[in-house]
Amino acid sequence: MQLPWFLGTWLWLLCITEVWAATFKMALVGPWSCDPLFSRAMPTAAATLALSRLRSDSSLSRGYWYDVKVLDEDCSTSKALISFGDFEGYGHAYIGPFNPALCHAASLLAEHWEAGLASPGCLDADWPNLPPLTPPSKVLFTVLRFFGWAHVSVITAPSDLWESTGQEVASALRAMGLPIGPVVTMETGGKGGAREALNEIREADKVKVVIMCMSSILIGGEDQKELLLTALDMGMVSDGYVFIPYDALLYAMPYQDTVFNQLTNSTQLRHAYSAVLTVTMASDQSFYEAFREAQISREIRPGVSAKEVSPLFGTIFNMVYFVAKAVEERRQTGGGHWVTGNQLIQSDGGFDFQGFNQVLYGGKEGHGLQASYVVLDSDGDRLVPTHSLSPTHTDGMTGGLRPLSRSFTFPGGKPPSASFCWFNPDEACSGGMGAVTVLFLFLLFCALLGGLFFWSRNNKRAVKSTKMILTLDDIVFIDTQVSRKKLNDESIMKSLLEIKTPIRSIARSYILTTPESSNIGILEGDWVWLKKFCIGKIATEANQNTQNMFSQLREMRHENLNLYLGLFVDSGIFALVVEHCPRGSLADLLADSNVRLDWMFKSSLIMDLIKGMKYLHLRGVTHGRLKSTNCLVDGRFVLKITDYGLPMIFESQGISIPEESQGKNTNMFKMC
């Protein structure tokens, strides 16, 4: 029996309506044209890939469809706020916006539209929202609490997006109790904006940690490159400042077997990036590798190089997938009924799923997506993990970082830790004087009195110890042929420590000698070593250029550098006065058959060498003649590099470097 034409048409329309009704629509809102982080994220391709994999996910209900509409958010915060009001009806749920300044308005509008909101830009829980990403401010707070860094500052790129982000990040951290320093915008365009911004931060009290709200240099952000190179030039890297990129909290920075050409091609940038502490989402495989695999399987068009794509691509994929899983959780909880957008924020989570390149979790009680995080340190042109943060520890209150096998290297030393009261929600840090403060001030007062007394007794000695050009009146030379027993004798040592000049020594008759026959001496009670140079002429003085150069070298302080104490110019001898290392050089240690060097001992010496050379290179000093004989070992078996900067001293003194008779090692100068 043939149905009437109008009845067939009605049944066809009914089927179409049913299909539309079973489609949960999502609107993906972001500033896709405003910044390299977003413009290279390929949001449409990421959303399409997520929809494709959702269709083959056996854990989701059949006949329940998802669709995504990509909407562009204006680069201007005020214009973006106005345009967001025109997005009504585009979705049952809105994924976005990314700009934290738009969160509150977006939440109110979505509630009015009876739609769900899953915004990665919302940094607090004051507004209805199902976070499709662990709030970056909570992860940041957990990291700061682990290292004890309460006094931090924020520097932003000169755009509405990043300026708004910087202000909201500072507000979120202040709400958690931290005394956030200045929030500074870095002007660009050759106006010295980076230097001015860093100067303002450097003037802030107690601030040694800087949060950078801008795109990372590793994904094409030029503002961060300018900022870090300026910080290196200003000496902030060697002064112990630490820089934390905020944008890396929004995605999984590639670090497995990944070489960053930006660091490979620039020595200065490698040095600057050594002060960057990167906190990013953990991943089971590199983003670039996961992207290439999707291209091989023809899920993504192959014409784009993986390294030209922002890792935010993976975050977009994860957010779309997470919202679909949250909808499914609500559908099953509701007995299979249709899920409205405003029910989305009630998701109780309890599920896990395979994200783009890591396993992710749905947090219970509306906590949203939960991910693991890692702290990354730079190792040349690579990034290596030093700490991990599990999903259950990202609420900023419980748990914390777990150190891994490799520790983070701070090129200028670790910033000082603040009082833990800044991180304790049950305790307030104030300027009042409690009992502990009074006790501390009393002890400090006593210490100052003791220090003043000690200084008054040793003032003359302290002034004398700063002397740069040393003579026979300053150093007592020891006869190295005297037996070890005599040198170790307590009474003799006591007399040596009381020596003021060679003439006044009661022990001179049997242990003292002249500088021509010994390289070991005592300077103000401390053992020193003289490295003499045969320069082919009698040295009478060190010129002003040499003194200026040596003064800079003497100011270098590091546990793996042999300390320069002065220049000895007397009796026709030109010598460098350094700390005495009783175990000799590394060459002596390796040649000593009585000393057993296991691999742990060797690795410790190698790490000492690396730390010392890194310290020199960060200050622009090239050694030029590193070898085992000028790597000394002190009494604690700590390796110390010596002879650094000597070619500069010889050049400033106008001394030519003679060639060896065999024509080898022509860059070396002859030692006496």
Side-chain angles (χ1 to χ4, degrees):
M1 179 178 175
Q2 186 174 4
L3 293 173
W5 67 270
F6 60 86
L7 185 58
T9 303
W10 180 80
L11 289 174
W12 179 78
L13 290 173
L14 181 62
C15 291
I16 293 297
T17 304
E18 284 297 317
V19 171
W20 178 87
T23 300
F24 190 93
K25 296 186 296 180
M26 295 177 256
L28 179 62
V29 184
W32 311 121
S33 58
C34 300
D35 190 89
L37 174 64
F38 299 95
S39 61
R40 299 180 182 178
M42 299 174 59
T44 302
T48 302
L49 177 62
L51 293 176
S52 173
R53 294 187 180 179
L54 282 169
R55 285 192 287 271
S56 60
D57 191 334
S58 59
S59 67
L60 299 178
S61 301
R62 294 304 172 197
Y64 215 73
W65 297 86
Y66 296 92
D67 188 30
V68 178
K69 176 71 173 179
V70 178
L71 302 174
D72 199 1
E73 172 188 317
D74 199 283
C75 300
S76 167
T77 301
S78 58
K79 292 180 180 179
L81 183 59
I82 296 172
S83 62
F84 195 89
D86 298 329
F87 293 158
E88 182 179 6
Y90 279 101
H92 297 103
Y94 291 81
I95 303 176
F98 280 83
N99 189 336
L102 303 177
C103 170
H104 296 171
S107 180
L108 289 173
L109 288 171
E111 191 174 19
H112 176 68
W113 299 335
E114 296 184 350
L117 182 69
S119 172
C122 293
L123 302 181
D124 55 50
D126 297 337
W127 301 88
N129 177 52
L130 181 67
L133 185 71
T134 305
S137 56
K138 292 185 177 180
V139 180
L140 199 54
F141 179 84
T142 304
V143 173
L144 295 175
R145 184 187 58 184
F146 178 84
F147 289 105
W149 299 332
H151 302 275
V152 301
S153 188
V154 179
I155 188 166
T156 77
S159 68
D160 263 17
L161 171 64
W162 289 119
E163 286 184 45
S164 300
T165 300
Q167 293 292 343
E168 293 297 323
V169 169
S171 297
L173 293 176
R174 288 191 188 104
M176 296 179 187
L178 299 188
I180 303 302
V183 180
V184 187
T185 298
M186 183 188 81
E187 299 297 334
T188 56
K191 300 177 182 178
R195 188 172 296 273
E196 292 178 6
L198 290 171
N199 274 328
E200 186 172 345
I201 289 175
R202 189 154 61 175
E203 292 170 1
D205 185 35
K206 300 179 181 178
V207 171
K208 282 289 188 177
V209 179
V210 182
I211 300 171
M212 302 181 292
C213 290
M214 58 190 69
S215 290
S216 171
I217 177 59
L218 302 183
I219 62 170
E222 290 299 316
D223 291 332
Q224 191 179 103
K225 177 181 180 180
E226 179 185 354
L227 178 70
L228 292 175
L229 290 177
T230 303
L232 178 67
D233 183 61
M234 294 172 63
M236 295 180 72
V237 173
S238 58
D239 285 344
Y241 282 81
V242 172
F243 298 85
I244 301 177
Y246 176 82
D247 72 308
L249 292 162
L250 304 175
Y251 54 82
M253 176 72 79
Y255 59 90
Q256 299 98 330
D257 301 321
T258 301
V259 175
F260 293 96
N261 294 330
Q262 300 91 331
L263 302 180
T264 305
N265 299 331
S266 173
T267 302
Q268 292 295 312
L269 190 57
R270 283 200 305 275
H271 289 165
Y273 209 84
S274 65
V276 175
L277 184 146
T278 303
V279 186
T280 192
M281 293 173 64
S283 54
D284 301 323
Q285 65 176 153
S286 168
F287 166 77
Y288 298 138
E289 182 182 352
F291 190 89
R292 283 189 287 265
E293 287 181 359
Q295 287 181 316
I296 293 172
S297 62
R298 298 188 180 276
E299 294 177 292
I300 303 175
R301 58 187 177 91
V304 180
S305 171
K307 291 199 172 183
E308 294 177 0
V309 180
S310 166
L312 194 70
F313 177 100
T315 301
I316 296 170
F317 174 97
N318 296 338
M319 292 192 300
V320 172
Y321 214 107
F322 166 71
V323 170
K325 293 286 288 187
V327 170
E328 176 66 15
E329 184 273 328
R330 286 289 86 194
R331 194 196 68 78
Q332 293 182 4
T333 302
H337 295 296
W338 170 256
V339 178
T340 60
N342 56 3
Q343 292 175 322
L344 184 65
I345 60 174
Q346 302 169 8
S347 173
D348 196 36
F351 54 83
D352 60 71
F353 65 97
Q354 177 61 49
F356 184 70
N357 58 334
Q358 70 273 89
V359 176
L360 301 169
Y361 307 88
K364 289 186 173 293
E365 300 178 356
H367 282 147
L369 185 142
Q370 301 286 304
S372 299
Y373 285 79
V374 290
V375 173
L376 302 176
D377 187 14
S378 62
D379 183 11
D381 53 6
R382 300 171 182 266
L383 298 180
V384 292
T386 61
H387 300 77
S388 66
L389 182 65
S390 65
T392 55
H393 295 337
T394 54
D395 58 7
M397 296 300 173
T398 60
L401 293 183
R402 182 172 62 87
L404 302 178
S405 58
R406 177 190 173 103
S407 59
F408 193 95
T409 302
F410 298 95
K414 181 183 176 182
S417 299
S419 171
F420 190 76
C421 66
W422 293 111
F423 305 97
N424 188 351
D426 300 323
E427 184 179 353
C429 288
S430 65
M433 293 179 61
V436 176
T437 305
V438 172
L439 177 61
F440 172 77
L441 291 177
F442 174 74
L443 294 176
L444 180 62
F445 177 73
C446 294
L448 288 175
L449 282 180
L452 182 63
F453 176 73
F454 179 82
W455 177 83
S456 63
R457 288 187 57 189
N458 298 278
N459 182 43
K460 183 176 179 180
R461 175 180 172 182
V463 171
K464 192 173 182 180
S465 65
T466 62
K467 188 175 180 181
M468 182 186 302
I469 306 301
L470 306 174
T471 64
L472 285 172
D473 292 331
D474 303 301
I475 300 178
V476 176
F477 289 91
I478 307 300
D479 186 356
T480 56
Q481 302 302 318
V482 175
S483 69
R484 185 178 300 274
K485 178 178 179 181
K486 288 183 179 180
L487 287 177
N488 290 336
D489 184 83
E490 183 177 354
S491 61
I492 295 177
M493 283 300 301
K494 182 177 180 181
S495 66
L496 287 175
L497 292 176
E498 294 175 350
I499 291 175
K500 300 301 179 183
T501 66
I503 300 175
R504 298 180 182 179
S505 173
I506 61 172
R508 180 184 178 187
S509 59
Y510 62 100
I511 63 173
L512 302 188
T513 185
T514 62
E516 291 85 357
S517 58
S518 176
N519 289 72
I520 297 178
I522 293 180
L523 172 64
E524 294 297 328
D526 294 320
W527 293 90
V528 295
W529 173 268
L530 266 70
K531 182 176 286 292
K532 304 172 187 175
F533 306 109
C534 293
I535 58 178
K537 60 181 180 180
I538 297 177
T540 58
E541 63 177 358
N543 62 42
Q544 190 59 48
N545 288 337
T546 301
Q547 294 185 42
N548 293 339
M549 178 64 65
F550 183 78
S551 177
Q552 297 177 23
L553 295 173
R554 193 168 68 159
E555 290 300 318
M556 293 187 177
R557 295 288 190 274
H558 192 275
E559 65 175 347
N560 299 118
L561 291 187
N562 193 26
L563 184 63
Y564 286 176
L565 302 174
L567 288 172
F568 182 86
V569 184
D570 201 345
S571 303
I573 297 174
F574 185 79
L576 184 67
V577 182
V578 300
E579 287 181 308
H580 179 245
C581 292
R583 300 193 184 277
S585 69
L586 180 60
D588 298 330
L589 197 65
L590 295 173
D592 190 346
S593 59
N594 296 322
V595 178
R596 182 180 179 182
L597 301 178
D598 57 22
W599 274 111
M600 184 168 291
F601 190 17
K602 292 178 182 178
S603 64
S604 175
L605 294 174
I606 292 172
M607 285 304 300
D608 289 343
L609 177 61
I610 292 172
K611 290 176 183 177
M613 292 303 297
K614 188 173 184 179
Y615 179 88
L616 290 174
H617 289 174
L618 282 173
R619 284 150 183 79
V621 177
T622 301
H623 195 291
R625 57 189 310 273
L626 186 64
K627 53 185 179 179
S628 60
T629 54
N630 49 36
C631 294
L632 306 181
V633 182
D634 69 6
R636 297 180 296 114
F637 286 98
V638 175
L639 185 142
K640 294 177 178 288
I641 301 170
T642 190
D643 286 10
Y644 51 91
L646 289 190
M648 296 186 293
I649 293 178
F650 271 66
E651 182 179 354
S652 63
Q653 187 70 9
I655 299 173
S656 60
I657 302 174
E659 295 186 1
E660 295 291 326
S661 58
Q662 299 298 324
K664 298 179 181 179
N665 300 322
T666 56
N667 290 329
M668 296 169 54
F669 40 82
K670 187 178 179 183
M671 307 293 179
C672 293

